[in-house]
Amino acid sequence: MRVVTLDEIKSVLPNIDLLPAIEEGFTAYSAGEAVVPPVGELLLPQGEVHIKYGFIKDHDYYVIKIASGFYENPLIGLSSSSGLMLLFRQATGELAAILLDEGHLTDTRTAVAGAIAAKHLAPENVRRIGIFGTGIQARLQLQYLSQVVPCRDVAVWGRTPQHVDAYCDEMRQVGFNAEHVDDPGELVATCNLIVTTTPSDRPLLSADHLQPGTHITAVGADTPDKQELETDMLKRAEVVVADSIAQCTQRGEIHHALAQKAIERGAIVELGDIVSGQAAGRTSDDQITVADLTGVAVQDIQIATAVVAQLEK
Amino acid sequence: MRVVTLDEIKSVLPNIDLLPAIEEGFTAYSAGEAVVPPVGELLLPQGEVHIKYGFIKDHDYYVIKIASGFYENPLIGLSSSSGLMLLFRQATGELAAILLDEGHLTDTRTAVAGAIAAKHLAPENVRRIGIFGTGIQARLQLQYLSQVVPCRDVAVWGRTPQHVDAYCDEMRQVGFNAEHVDDPGELVATCNLIVTTTPSDRPLLSADHLQPGTHITAVGADTPDKQELETDMLKRAEVVVADSIAQCTQRGEIHHALAQKAIERGAIVELGDIVSGQAAGRTSDDQITVADLTGVAVQDIQIATAVVAQLEK
């Protein structure tokens, strides 16, 4: 049994081609080749904990991932997100590895899923990328998007102006032309690839000013309460995509849109079916598309397995 | 963060007074002071995995326990049960300790729960203890029962006669007068404290020959499918006790008895309420009592916390 530290994980991640690994996870999931029970959840006075677990049939491992968000932690100098991943052998149940990733693999596989959604759903010509939020996920989304989208013009909105400025400075240093916008409406009006990354529990982005051809990836809302998009955004969309239809009917943006009858369940397409070609994604350049990513255990399974395989090379 | 090995765990366990620690857990649970979400479950072709987790309000830690049963493992020289426990700080979500107990703490807290059930429900004068099964749990149940019951006469039944003989030999070496009985009926007829410990998925013990005053603790059945007791046993019992009513309506003996309408949900008493004195347990020496122990996360929380506290002394 191997205990792997965050430093070791960070040292091998650049050598792994994560995008196809996680695409394969989504494809297996949508093809019914993965077993992914409902997310376990623990709500504490100071934070929340998610347990995601499952396996892809006939693979080597099953994976149990624990991720937490304790949003007051930064006040005492600790990261708000934390976590670890456990790999066990499917044949015997033996613990094979503990990945002490402190949430980094969850952050990474979430950003990679954003890149996968953009690869399959963004319009041909992305003029400007809109990033909603200024945290870790806002940074990683842009990093992985740059693998699939050539555009380097970015508009950024966040609740705290100083955080937006700091984010823009940081992104400029890695080659993005990042600009602070003053309100969410401006972001929607000027960007045709939008990624929302906040833990907001009330919708801050509406379909007013939404331009034809825009793709929106919503990654912030992963619980029944959280919501970043007004449901009119999903109503306007020609294509609504879920990472997991089962999970998105219980949590995230789609869950809210279904509850308000803004969309119909039968119209939702699963990301893995788009990746595999079983379902159509965007079929014309002026469609509006929305991908709701609540985070599925197959992503954890795939990234954890890839890290362990890379370490064993 | 501390990684604790099985050897370290075994070295401190004898210095911990587990019975009151786990009684306190049951009491807190039944008093509504614990948060224990439904058990997470993963069913693989070769085995099954349970995830139990939760916390007692205002305590230091929340605990996530992973336990697996891979019943073909002994054929290749591995233990059938395995697992680990993770302790996280309630205030910050930080991982405080990984207890690599390989299932030993689960086995131990299950045996301690059996002793707690016997302490509160067994008749005053236990003439003979009946042990159903010959595995690890059969061994540990007798070890912890000896802390609360003076009787050292034991009848043992198991599917494999050689295993019964080996078990009896081993138990004789630690002071029990253990005898191999040829059928389950003989065990029921001659024992007034019976503990069932097998992973059977069909009932093997019936109420035929059941004597007044007998107490039965069923620990083997912890899934919806497993069952050791014919439901007529629960029907005959004056007192039916669950470690967790919520959990026992979904899995274990009580779940089967409810499905067959052998008992009524309103009549079930929770172990923690008996421990705290909120509910009556046995009120006369000729009552038949049944305790169905499916294993509750509060037991894991309490044993894990006690081990870490002992290591920090």
Side-chain angles (χ1 to χ4, degrees):
Chain A
M1 195 276 294
R2 183 165 194 160
V3 179
V4 185
T5 65
L6 177 57
D7 283 344
E8 289 176 272
I9 292 166
K10 282 185 170 170
S11 76
V12 300
L13 271 182
N15 305 322
I16 304 172
D17 199 359
L18 287 171
L19 209 124
I22 291 179
E23 279 187 328
E24 188 193 323
F26 283 125
T27 302
Y29 178 74
S30 294
E33 292 158 12
V35 174
V36 175
V39 178
E41 195 166 59
L42 202 54
L43 301 176
L44 291 113
Q46 314 292 334
E48 60 190 38
V49 183
H50 289 159
I51 306 173
K52 295 188 175 179
Y53 55 106
F55 62 94
I56 297 174
K57 293 169 190 171
D58 302 322
H59 280 209
D60 289 339
Y61 302 111
Y62 59 94
V63 173
I64 298 173
K65 190 275 291 282
I66 296 145
S68 63
F70 281 68
Y71 297 107
E72 304 298 310
N73 273 3
L75 300 177
I76 53 168
L78 295 173
S79 169
S80 60
S81 65
S82 190
L84 74 162
M85 296 191 184
L86 305 160
L87 282 85
F88 301 84
R89 293 187 206 289
Q90 286 192 25
T92 61
E94 288 168 288
L95 180 61
I98 299 176
L99 305 184
L100 297 171
D101 70 301
E102 299 174 25
H104 184 63
L105 290 176
T106 298
D107 291 338
T108 302
R109 60 77 156 156
T110 303
V112 173
I116 292 168
K119 176 182 163 191
H120 295 277
L121 292 162
E124 185 79 28
N125 175 23
V126 174
R127 292 186 311 273
R128 196 186 199 196
I129 299 169
I131 298 287
F132 188 69
T134 60
I136 297 166
Q137 195 50 225
R139 287 166 168 77
L140 289 172
Q141 285 287 339
L142 216 42
Q143 177 184 331
Y144 283 95
L145 273 181
S146 70
Q147 295 187 5
V148 295
V149 172
C151 173
R152 295 292 176 267
D153 287 319
V154 181
V156 187
W157 186 87
R159 271 188 311 180
T160 312
Q162 301 93 302
H163 292 177
V164 179
D165 290 335
Y167 175 86
C168 288
D169 283 346
E170 199 181 316
M171 293 301 107
R172 281 185 208 112
Q173 286 168 26
V174 291
F176 293 95
N177 174 28
E179 285 180 50
H180 185 158
V181 295
D182 289 328
D183 71 284
E186 187 183 342
L187 189 142
V188 174
T190 64
C191 299
N192 63 344
L193 171 58
I194 298 170
V195 185
T196 67
T197 68
T198 75
S200 181
D201 53 9
R202 60 195 179 88
L204 293 169
L205 286 182
S206 82
D208 300 343
H209 316 297
L210 188 56
Q211 302 298 310
T214 300
H215 170 72
I216 302 133
T217 297
V219 301
D222 58 354
T223 66
D225 292 334
K226 292 185 203 164
Q227 184 179 7
E228 299 184 273
L229 308 183
E230 291 280 4
T231 56
D232 64 350
M233 277 210 154
L234 286 90
K235 192 172 184 173
R236 277 280 299 280
E238 275 89 356
V239 185
V240 175
V241 178
D243 51 4
S244 156
I245 291 175
Q247 200 167 288
C248 288
T249 57
Q250 305 295 321
R251 50 183 74 223
E253 308 298 340
I254 285 173
H255 146 76
H256 290 288
L258 284 170
Q260 292 183 25
K261 302 196 190 303
I263 57 170
E264 283 181 20
R265 185 181 163 134
I268 305 164
V269 182
E270 216 162 56
L271 183 56
D273 283 333
I274 294 176
V275 171
S276 69
Q278 292 291 307
R282 171 180 294 279
T283 53
S284 86
D285 238 16
D286 58 0
Q287 285 177 321
I288 291 171
T289 56
V290 172
D292 185 12
L293 305 182
T294 55
V296 188
V298 281
Q299 299 167 252
D300 303 313
I301 295 165
Q302 288 296 89
I303 198 168
T305 302
V307 165
V308 167
Q310 186 68 30
L311 284 164
E312 283 172 352
K313 267 184 189 167
Chain B
M1 196 276 293
R2 184 165 193 160
V3 178
V4 186
T5 65
L6 178 57
D7 283 344
E8 288 176 271
I9 292 166
K10 282 186 171 170
S11 75
V12 300
L13 271 182
N15 305 323
I16 304 172
D17 200 1
L18 289 171
L19 209 124
I22 291 178
E23 279 187 328
E24 188 194 322
F26 283 124
T27 302
Y29 178 75
S30 294
E33 293 157 12
V35 174
V36 176
V39 178
E41 196 166 59
L42 203 53
L43 302 177
L44 292 114
Q46 314 292 333
E48 60 190 38
V49 183
H50 289 159
I51 307 173
K52 295 188 176 180
Y53 55 106
F55 62 94
I56 297 174
K57 293 169 190 170
D58 301 323
H59 280 209
D60 289 338
Y61 302 112
Y62 59 93
V63 174
I64 299 173
K65 191 273 292 281
I66 296 144
S68 63
F70 281 69
Y71 297 107
E72 304 297 309
N73 273 3
L75 300 177
I76 53 167
L78 294 173
S79 169
S80 60
S81 64
S82 189
L84 74 161
M85 295 190 183
L86 304 159
L87 281 85
F88 300 85
R89 293 187 207 288
Q90 286 192 24
T92 60
E94 287 168 290
L95 179 62
I98 299 175
L99 305 184
L100 297 171
D101 70 303
E102 299 174 25
H104 184 64
L105 290 176
T106 298
D107 292 337
T108 301
R109 61 77 156 157
T110 303
V112 173
I116 292 169
K119 176 183 164 189
H120 294 277
L121 292 163
E124 185 78 28
N125 176 23
V126 174
R127 292 186 311 273
R128 197 187 199 194
I129 299 169
I131 298 286
F132 188 69
T134 59
I136 297 165
Q137 196 50 225
R139 287 166 167 76
L140 288 171
Q141 286 286 339
L142 216 42
Q143 176 184 331
Y144 283 95
L145 273 181
S146 69
Q147 295 188 3
V148 296
V149 172
C151 173
R152 295 293 177 268
D153 287 319
V154 180
V156 187
W157 186 87
R159 270 189 311 180
T160 312
Q162 303 92 303
H163 293 176
V164 179
D165 291 335
Y167 175 85
C168 288
D169 284 346
E170 199 181 315
M171 293 300 108
R172 282 187 206 109
Q173 286 168 25
V174 291
F176 293 94
N177 174 26
E179 285 180 51
H180 184 159
V181 296
D182 289 329
D183 73 282
E186 188 182 343
L187 188 143
V188 174
T190 64
C191 298
N192 63 345
L193 171 57
I194 297 169
V195 185
T196 67
T197 68
T198 75
S200 181
D201 53 9
R202 60 196 178 88
L204 293 169
L205 286 181
S206 81
D208 300 343
H209 317 297
L210 187 57
Q211 302 297 310
T214 300
H215 171 72
I216 303 131
T217 298
V219 300
D222 58 353
T223 66
D225 291 333
K226 292 186 204 165
Q227 182 179 11
E228 298 184 273
L229 309 183
E230 291 279 5
T231 56
D232 64 351
M233 277 209 153
L234 286 91
K235 191 172 185 175
R236 277 279 299 280
E238 276 88 357
V239 185
V240 175
V241 178
D243 52 3
S244 155
I245 292 174
Q247 199 166 290
C248 288
T249 57
Q250 305 295 322
R251 48 183 75 223
E253 308 298 340
I254 285 173
H255 146 76
H256 289 287
L258 285 170
Q260 293 183 25
K261 303 196 189 303
I263 58 170
E264 284 181 18
R265 184 180 165 136
I268 305 164
V269 182
E270 217 162 55
L271 184 57
D273 283 332
I274 295 175
V275 171
S276 69
Q278 292 291 308
R282 172 180 293 279
T283 53
S284 87
D285 237 17
D286 58 1
Q287 285 177 322
I288 291 170
T289 56
V290 173
D292 186 12
L293 305 182
T294 55
V296 188
V298 282
Q299 299 166 251
D300 303 312
I301 295 165
Q302 288 296 90
I303 199 167
T305 303
V307 165
V308 167
Q310 186 67 30
L311 284 164
E312 283 172 352
K313 268 186 187 168

